[in-house]
Amino acid sequence: MSTCATVSRDLDEPISGTAATATTWLLLEQPGPWGAKALTSSHLDPVLGRALETAATNTGVRIALIRRPGRHADPAPSRVRQVYAAHTVPGNAWLHSATTTDPRDLLGLDFAALGAGDPHSFGSALGGRAHTGDPLALVCTNGKRDRCCALLGRPLAAELAASGVEGAWEVTHLGGHRFSPTVLVLPYGYAYGRVGAHTVKEILQGVQEGRVVVEGCRGASAWERPGQAAELAVRTAAREYATDALSVVRTDGGAPRWEVTVAHTDGRHWRVIVAQGASLPPRPESCGASVLGAPARMDVVAVREPATALSN
């Protein structure tokens, strides 16, 4: 059976620079079925879902629903739900957790502050505190958005959970379902595509060691797409895999060509030329698409030798 994911894989579509963008992720446990737009088409109160969407607009916060892998039982609405907030910008990455029996508590959050990396409202509104458990592996399984996420994501999430990965969750949407199975790892916000359970475990081990695995990496959600591709290119060129070592500090230009400055904590800077191209030949961008498309791709044209300081 041909799917958008098999076509993308067969055509060797590059995945660098395709991650969803968010400086901060806010995750709410919501058991039961999910619709295509899960915040307003699940068993979560749609009025609350719309209010959360509005509150997060233009703040850098991306909201997603999560559930434990397995059968999607939907118990009484009063059950205790897990909530996470994760800020992904290097140098200030954190993951906090809380529980609530009333999802409306999330409306008490200061979304602008969360997006900027301040967790205080997460503590005051929800009693949240720094997460002390394993890093999170969020696997997109929302088959209502694309069947690839169910066909490929749900078995991966189940395998991770069955093998003892305590941070494994199903998540509603990470974008790029043609790269299924797609995974987001928190707190550092690196997204991955076309990965198996063994690779995810290596990635999570890297997170615990403060190290980024670049194989299968789509990019860091803290950066826009040109920055994602540039940062990964510098990691590869410099063989620099420490999680907090690199930051995207400047992006000049606009589509279809950018010059991205990537900085190292030791003072070095790289200038990376990134060009936007089209993935050809045309292919289905999702399994439900009625027409073929040529999705944008981020091509790194050049990685210029590092300098010790930025020049004007």
Coordinates of all heavy atoms in Angstrom, one line a residue, residues 166-208:
E166 N 9.7 5.3 29.7 CA 8.7 5.9 30.5 C 8.2 7.2 30.0 O 7.1 7.7 30.3 CB 9.2 6.1 32.0 CG 9.5 4.8 32.7 CD 9.9 5.0 34.1 OE1 10.0 6.1 34.5 OE2 10.2 4.0 34.8
G167 N 9.1 7.9 29.2 CA 8.7 9.2 28.6 C 7.9 9.1 27.3 O 7.7 10.1 26.7
A168 N 7.5 7.9 26.9 CA 6.8 7.8 25.6 C 5.4 8.2 25.7 O 4.6 7.7 26.6 CB 6.9 6.3 25.1
W169 N 4.9 9.1 24.8 CA 3.6 9.5 24.7 C 3.1 9.6 23.3 O 4.0 9.8 22.4 CB 3.4 10.9 25.3 CG 3.6 11.0 26.8 CD1 4.7 11.2 27.5 CD2 2.5 11.0 27.8 NE1 4.5 11.3 28.8 CE2 3.1 11.2 29.0 CE3 1.1 10.9 27.7 CZ2 2.4 11.2 30.2 CZ3 0.4 10.9 28.9 CH2 1.0 11.1 30.1
E170 N 1.9 9.4 23.0 CA 1.3 9.7 21.7 C 1.0 11.2 21.7 O 0.6 11.8 22.8 CB 0.0 8.9 21.4 CG 0.3 7.4 21.3 CD -0.9 6.6 21.0 OE1 -2.0 7.3 20.6 OE2 -0.9 5.4 21.0
V171 N 1.1 11.9 20.6 CA 0.8 13.3 20.5 C 0.0 13.6 19.3 O 0.0 12.9 18.3 CB 2.2 14.1 20.5 CG1 2.9 13.9 19.2 CG2 1.9 15.6 20.7
T172 N -0.7 14.7 19.3 CA -1.7 15.0 18.3 C -1.1 15.4 16.9 O -1.6 15.0 15.9 CB -2.7 16.1 18.7 OG1 -2.0 17.2 19.3 CG2 -3.7 15.5 19.7
H173 N -0.1 16.2 16.9 CA 0.3 16.8 15.6 C 1.7 17.4 15.7 O 2.0 18.2 16.6 CB -0.6 17.8 15.1 CG -0.3 18.3 13.7 ND1 0.0 17.5 12.7 CD2 -0.2 19.6 13.2 CE1 0.2 18.2 11.6 NE2 0.1 19.5 11.9
L174 N 2.7 16.9 14.9 CA 4.0 17.5 14.8 C 4.3 18.0 13.5 O 5.4 18.5 13.3 CB 5.0 16.4 15.2 CG 4.9 15.8 16.6 CD1 6.0 14.7 16.8 CD2 5.1 16.9 17.7
G175 N 3.4 17.9 12.5 CA 3.7 18.4 11.2 C 4.5 17.3 10.4 O 5.2 16.5 11.0
G176 N 4.4 17.4 9.1 CA 5.3 16.6 8.2 C 5.0 15.1 8.3 O 5.9 14.3 8.5
H177 N 3.7 14.7 8.2 CA 3.3 13.3 8.4 C 3.9 12.5 7.3 O 4.0 11.3 7.5 CB 1.8 13.2 8.4 CG 1.0 14.2 7.7 ND1 0.2 15.1 8.5 CD2 0.9 14.6 6.5 CE1 -0.4 16.0 7.6 NE2 0.0 15.7 6.4
R178 N 4.4 13.1 6.2 CA 5.0 12.2 5.2 C 6.4 11.8 5.6 O 7.0 10.9 4.9 CB 5.1 13.0 3.8 CG 6.0 14.2 3.9 CD 5.9 15.0 2.6 NE 6.8 16.2 2.6 CZ 6.5 17.4 3.1 NH1 5.3 17.5 3.8 NH2 7.3 18.4 3.1
F179 N 6.9 12.3 6.8 CA 8.1 11.7 7.4 C 7.8 10.8 8.5 O 8.7 10.4 9.3 CB 8.9 12.9 7.9 CG 9.2 14.0 6.9 CD1 8.8 15.3 7.1 CD2 9.9 13.7 5.7 CE1 9.1 16.3 6.1 CE2 10.1 14.6 4.7 CZ 9.7 15.9 4.9
S180 N 6.6 10.3 8.6 CA 6.2 9.3 9.7 C 7.1 8.1 9.7 O 7.5 7.6 8.6 CB 4.8 8.9 9.5 OG 3.9 10.0 9.7
P181 N 7.3 7.5 10.9 CA 6.9 8.1 12.2 C 7.7 9.3 12.6 O 8.9 9.2 12.5 CB 7.0 6.9 13.1 CG 8.1 6.1 12.5 CD 8.0 6.2 11.0
T182 N 7.0 10.3 13.1 CA 7.7 11.5 13.5 C 7.7 11.6 15.1 O 6.7 11.2 15.7 CB 7.0 12.8 13.0 OG1 5.6 12.8 13.4 CG2 7.0 12.8 11.5
V183 N 8.8 12.1 15.6 CA 9.0 12.1 17.1 C 9.5 13.4 17.5 O 10.4 14.0 16.8 CB 9.9 11.0 17.5 CG1 10.2 11.0 19.0 CG2 9.4 9.6 17.1
L184 N 9.0 14.0 18.6 CA 9.6 15.2 19.2 C 10.2 14.8 20.5 O 9.5 14.1 21.3 CB 8.5 16.3 19.4 CG 9.0 17.5 20.1 CD1 9.9 18.4 19.2 CD2 7.8 18.4 20.5
V185 N 11.4 15.2 20.8 CA 12.1 14.9 22.0 C 12.2 16.2 22.9 O 12.7 17.2 22.4 CB 13.5 14.3 21.8 CG1 14.2 14.0 23.1 CG2 13.3 13.0 21.0
L186 N 11.7 16.1 24.1 CA 11.8 17.2 25.0 C 12.6 16.9 26.2 O 12.6 15.7 26.6 CB 10.4 17.7 25.4 CG 9.5 18.2 24.3 CD1 8.1 18.4 24.9 CD2 10.0 19.4 23.7
P187 N 13.4 17.8 26.8 CA 13.2 19.3 26.7 C 13.8 20.0 25.5 O 13.5 21.2 25.4 CB 13.8 19.8 28.0 CG 14.9 18.9 28.3 CD 14.4 17.5 27.8
Y188 N 14.7 19.4 24.8 CA 15.5 20.2 23.8 C 14.8 20.5 22.5 O 15.2 21.4 21.7 CB 16.8 19.6 23.6 CG 17.7 19.5 24.9 CD1 18.0 18.3 25.4 CD2 18.1 20.6 25.5 CE1 18.7 18.2 26.6 CE2 18.8 20.6 26.7 CZ 19.1 19.3 27.2 OH 19.8 19.3 28.4
G189 N 13.7 19.9 22.2 CA 12.8 20.3 21.1 C 13.3 19.8 19.8 O 13.0 20.4 18.8
Y190 N 14.2 18.8 19.7 CA 14.6 18.3 18.4 C 13.5 17.3 17.9 O 13.1 16.4 18.6 CB 16.0 17.6 18.5 CG 17.1 18.6 18.5 CD1 17.5 19.1 19.7 CD2 17.7 19.1 17.4 CE1 18.5 20.1 19.8 CE2 18.7 20.0 17.4 CZ 19.1 20.5 18.7 OH 20.1 21.5 18.7
A191 N 13.2 17.4 16.6 CA 12.2 16.6 16.0 C 12.9 15.6 15.0 O 14.0 15.9 14.4 CB 11.2 17.4 15.2
Y192 N 12.3 14.4 14.9 CA 12.9 13.4 14.1 C 11.9 12.7 13.2 O 10.7 12.8 13.5 CB 13.6 12.3 15.0 CG 14.8 12.8 15.7 CD1 14.6 13.5 16.9 CD2 16.1 12.6 15.2 CE1 15.7 14.0 17.6 CE2 17.2 13.1 15.9 CZ 17.0 13.7 17.1 OH 18.1 14.2 17.8
G193 N 12.3 12.2 12.1 CA 11.4 11.5 11.2 C 12.0 10.2 10.7 O 13.2 10.0 10.7
R194 N 11.1 9.3 10.3 CA 11.5 8.0 9.7 C 12.4 7.2 10.7 O 13.4 6.6 10.3 CB 12.2 8.2 8.4 CG 11.5 8.9 7.3 CD 12.3 9.1 6.1 NE 11.6 9.9 5.1 CZ 12.3 10.8 4.3 NH1 13.6 10.9 4.3 NH2 11.6 11.5 3.4
V195 N 12.0 7.2 12.0 CA 12.9 6.6 13.0 C 12.2 5.3 13.5 O 11.0 5.2 13.5 CB 13.2 7.5 14.2 CG1 14.1 8.6 13.7 CG2 11.9 8.1 14.7
G196 N 13.0 4.4 14.0 CA 12.5 3.2 14.6 C 12.8 3.3 16.1 O 13.4 4.2 16.6
A197 N 12.3 2.3 16.9 CA 12.4 2.3 18.3 C 13.9 2.3 18.8 O 14.2 3.1 19.7 CB 11.7 1.1 18.9
H198 N 14.8 1.6 18.1 CA 16.2 1.6 18.5 C 16.8 2.9 18.4 O 17.5 3.4 19.3 CB 16.9 0.6 17.7 CG 18.4 0.5 18.0 ND1 18.9 -0.1 19.2 CD2 19.5 0.9 17.3 CE1 20.2 0.0 19.2 NE2 20.6 0.6 18.1
T199 N 16.5 3.6 17.3 CA 17.0 5.0 17.1 C 16.5 5.9 18.1 O 17.2 6.8 18.7 CB 16.7 5.5 15.7 OG1 17.3 4.6 14.7 CG2 17.3 6.9 15.5
V200 N 15.2 5.9 18.4 CA 14.6 6.7 19.4 C 15.3 6.5 20.8 O 15.6 7.5 21.5 CB 13.1 6.5 19.6 CG1 12.5 7.4 20.7 CG2 12.4 6.9 18.3
K201 N 15.6 5.3 21.1 CA 16.3 5.0 22.4 C 17.7 5.7 22.4 O 18.1 6.2 23.4 CB 16.3 3.5 22.7 CG 15.0 2.9 23.0 CD 15.1 1.4 23.2 CE 13.7 0.8 23.4 NZ 13.8 -0.7 23.5
E202 N 18.4 5.6 21.3 CA 19.7 6.3 21.2 C 19.5 7.8 21.3 O 20.4 8.4 22.0 CB 20.3 5.9 19.8 CG 20.8 4.5 19.7 CD 21.5 4.3 18.3 OE1 21.4 5.2 17.5 OE2 22.1 3.2 18.1
I203 N 18.5 8.3 20.7 CA 18.3 9.8 20.8 C 18.0 10.2 22.3 O 18.5 11.2 22.8 CB 17.1 10.2 19.9 CG1 17.4 10.0 18.4 CG2 16.6 11.6 20.2 CD1 16.2 10.0 17.5
L204 N 17.2 9.4 23.0 CA 16.9 9.7 24.4 C 18.1 9.5 25.3 O 18.3 10.3 26.2 CB 15.7 8.8 24.9 CG 14.4 9.0 24.2 CD1 13.4 8.0 24.7 CD2 13.8 10.4 24.6
Q205 N 18.9 8.6 25.0 CA 20.2 8.4 25.7 C 21.1 9.6 25.5 O 21.7 10.2 26.4 CB 20.9 7.2 25.3 CG 22.2 6.9 26.0 CD 22.0 6.7 27.5 OE1 21.0 6.0 27.9 NE2 23.0 7.2 28.3
G206 N 21.1 10.1 24.2 CA 21.8 11.4 23.9 C 21.3 12.5 24.7 O 22.1 13.4 25.2
V207 N 20.0 12.7 24.8 CA 19.4 13.8 25.6 C 19.9 13.7 27.0 O 20.3 14.7 27.6 CB 17.8 13.7 25.6 CG1 17.2 14.7 26.5 CG2 17.3 13.9 24.2
Q208 N 19.9 12.5 27.6 CA 20.4 12.4 29.0 C 21.8 12.8 29.2 O 22.3 13.2 30.2 CB 20.1 11.0 29.5 CG 18.6 10.7 29.6 CD 18.3 9.3 30.1 OE1 19.0 8.3 29.6 NE2 17.3 9.1 31.0

